[in-house]
Amino acid sequence: RVLPDWDESVPGYGYVLGMHAFGLEETGDYARAEVTGRKALHLNRRDPWAVHAVAHVMEMQGRLGEGVAWLEGRADDWGLDNAFAFHNWWHLALYYLDLGRHERVLALYDRQIHPRPTGVALEMIDASAMLWRLALRGIDVGSRWEPLADEWAPKAADRFYAFNDVHAMMAFVGAGRWAEAEALLATMTGTAERPDGNGMMTREVGLPVARALLAFGRGRYAESVELLRPVRLIAHRFGGSHAQRDVLSLTLVEAAIRGGQHRLAKALAAERMQLKPSSPFNWKLSLRTQAEQAAALAA
């Protein structure tokens, strides 16, 4: 609606294009998103949001090698003196995670994504999400959960944003801090009764997801599946990007595998293959689900 009022003669036009590029990516118009993001960077090569929008396109399309080259090749533009840099480092780590380069992911976590406690929720979200993804793959993350849970603890009762609450739950579950996880659920239950926007987001998405994460951590995989399945098609209602919300799908398929729901796990893996057939992780996941189902049938 506002784009006709902007052009290269107006200061800040590049930033408008960068934001538009991200909107185009989130609505699935990947070709236009990439063109628009690159145009934004032609006007201002240090725009981290435009870099981020193109990185999202490459993530969604499974262009892992290009994605690594895109972010690493432009790191001097977006990685220095930039409060958003941690999130673009997170996107770089996503590419390496898909490639199975787990040591590289952990190094990026320690040096760039969350090298020290900050109390900044946006950074803590990325930290929780990355450690949870690693844990789902069976990767030992060492002692990284505990200080992250310490950071989340004072924020767990603020009722600010359901998306934050879910990532706090990841940290509490990852650290095995069950009392704090239960206290967070109680707070979210109260939030879900409110008539405001966050009440809706908590009620419809945040609370069932938080319950599912706690059930997963406790080994109650059937319960986790039951809670996540109805939410996965409406999860956009509580915010985040497609790339961020993918952690819910990853948790669902892993819960199905661990809970012995092999047909469901195989079907979910097949969906992932259709969406991103170039993903090495999706190939491994698909083969794993097929092997699990075959073993169950042969038992």
Side-chain angles (χ1 to χ4, degrees):
R1 293 174 183 174
V2 303
L3 284 174
D5 295 316
W6 289 80
D7 58 40
E8 293 185 24
S9 68
V10 183
Y13 179 52
Y15 292 112
V16 172
L17 290 178
M19 289 186 284
H20 188 213
F22 181 67
L24 290 167
E25 178 275 321
E26 285 295 290
T27 51
D29 195 346
Y30 299 134
R32 288 181 64 208
E34 183 166 354
V35 168
T36 303
R38 289 179 182 273
K39 182 176 179 180
L41 290 164
H42 176 72
L43 297 174
N44 177 10
R45 63 178 296 109
R46 297 201 65 209
D47 179 358
W49 193 258
V51 171
H52 164 256
V54 177
H56 264 273
V57 171
M58 294 176 179
E59 167 67 25
M60 297 304 293
Q61 294 182 325
R63 294 158 56 190
L64 306 179
E66 285 183 77
V68 168
W70 172 255
L71 288 176
E72 291 186 341
R74 307 184 68 99
D76 287 346
D77 293 330
W78 59 262
L80 305 173
D81 190 27
N82 183 341
F84 192 64
F86 71 91
H87 188 65
N88 280 336
W89 289 118
W90 182 83
H91 275 281
L92 179 61
L94 279 187
Y95 298 135
Y96 280 118
L97 187 63
D98 205 337
L99 292 166
R101 299 276 304 278
H102 301 135
E103 291 302 320
R104 176 66 172 142
V105 174
L106 287 168
L108 284 167
Y109 179 94
D110 291 337
R111 298 170 190 167
Q112 307 290 359
I113 297 170
H114 202 58
R116 65 191 65 84
T118 65
V120 177
L122 286 173
E123 294 185 30
M124 293 154 60
I125 285 170
D126 281 356
S128 290
M130 188 54 66
L131 293 184
W132 188 266
R133 281 168 165 83
L134 286 161
L136 288 176
R137 288 159 167 80
I139 305 304
D140 183 5
V141 300
S143 60
R144 294 174 179 86
W145 278 122
E146 196 65 34
L148 184 59
D150 288 341
E151 280 188 90
W152 277 117
K155 296 182 179 294
D158 65 12
R159 302 190 180 192
F160 177 66
Y161 186 24
F163 195 75
N164 292 8
D165 294 336
V166 163
H167 288 81
M169 181 62 76
M170 291 178 191
F172 294 149
V173 171
R177 289 163 60 159
W178 309 114
E180 285 166 290
E182 293 288 355
L184 176 57
L185 275 188
T187 297
M188 294 180 72
T189 300
T191 302
E193 297 175 357
R194 293 174 9 183
D196 59 11
N198 193 43
M200 176 277 291
M201 291 188 287
T202 302
R203 186 170 54 253
E204 297 185 6
V205 183
L207 187 55
V209 169
R211 287 171 173 159
L213 295 175
L214 179 55
F216 186 95
R218 287 296 204 179
R220 302 194 303 266
Y221 300 119
E223 180 184 345
S224 186
V225 169
E226 184 178 357
L227 287 162
L228 285 173
R229 283 187 73 179
V231 170
R232 68 193 191 108
L233 298 181
I234 61 167
H236 60 278
R237 295 178 186 174
F238 90 144
S241 66
H242 293 302
Q244 288 176 306
R245 293 189 304 271
D246 189 45
V247 72
L248 307 184
S249 297
L250 291 167
T251 305
L252 174 58
V253 68
E254 187 63 30
I257 292 171
R258 297 187 189 187
Q261 298 188 46
H262 301 301
R263 290 183 63 186
L264 174 62
K266 183 180 175 182
L268 292 169
E271 283 186 358
R272 297 186 65 84
M273 283 292 294
Q274 288 296 316
L275 289 169
K276 198 190 295 186
S278 60
S279 163
F281 173 77
N282 284 349
W283 276 98
K284 292 177 182 177
L285 183 66
S286 183
L287 291 171
R288 179 184 168 203
T289 60
Q290 292 176 47
E292 294 275 359
Q293 184 181 38
L297 292 172

